[in-house]
Amino acid sequence: RAQAQSNDLEFIFDFSFSDNITVNHYLDQESLPQPTRGSKDISISPAIRYNLNKFINLRLFVDYRRTIPYTTTGYPITSIEGGLTIQVVLQ
C-alpha cells in the first residue's frame, strides 16, 4: 500500500454472505429432507478512513452481522458495532 497523503479520504465496503446447511434424508419415508444444522450468515462492514495530516488518521466504521439458523435449536443473532478510531503516529 502506498503512503497516504494528508487529507486523503478512503471509503471501504466489505460484504459477505454464507449459506451452510446439513440435512437428513430418510430413505424409508417420502417426507422432505430435515435440516439438522446450519445457518445463513450476513456481514456488512462499511468504513471511512480520513488522513487529517501525516500524524493523525481517523476511521469511522460500522459492523453489522446477522445469523439466521435453519433449526429451532438456534436463535437468530444480530449484532451491530460501530465506532471511531483515532491513530496518532509518533516519529
Side-chain angles (χ1 to χ4, degrees):
R1 181 174 173 203
Q3 179 67 26
Q5 301 297 318
S6 63
N7 295 325
D8 279 353
L9 183 65
E10 182 179 2
F11 293 97
I12 303 162
F13 185 82
D14 293 327
F15 173 79
S16 69
F17 176 77
S18 160
D19 191 6
N20 300 310
I21 187 169
T22 302
V23 294
N24 279 347
H25 296 274
Y26 297 105
L27 299 177
D28 60 344
Q29 300 175 5
E30 292 187 22
S31 63
L32 295 175
Q34 299 295 317
T36 56
R37 68 177 187 183
S39 65
K40 288 183 185 179
D41 301 315
I42 301 167
S43 174
I44 302 170
S45 301
I48 297 173
R49 191 175 297 153
Y50 180 66
N51 297 325
L52 191 61
N53 56 40
K54 68 179 185 176
F55 299 109
I56 300 174
N57 302 320
L58 305 173
R59 181 175 173 258
L60 181 65
F61 66 93
V62 175
D63 186 18
Y64 172 86
R65 295 178 189 270
R66 173 105 169 124
T67 301
I68 304 164
Y70 279 108
T71 62
T72 58
T73 58
Y75 298 99
I77 299 171
T78 302
S79 68
I80 302 172
E81 300 174 358
L84 174 68
T85 303
I86 301 172
Q87 180 183 17
V88 178
V89 178
L90 303 174
Q91 291 183 351

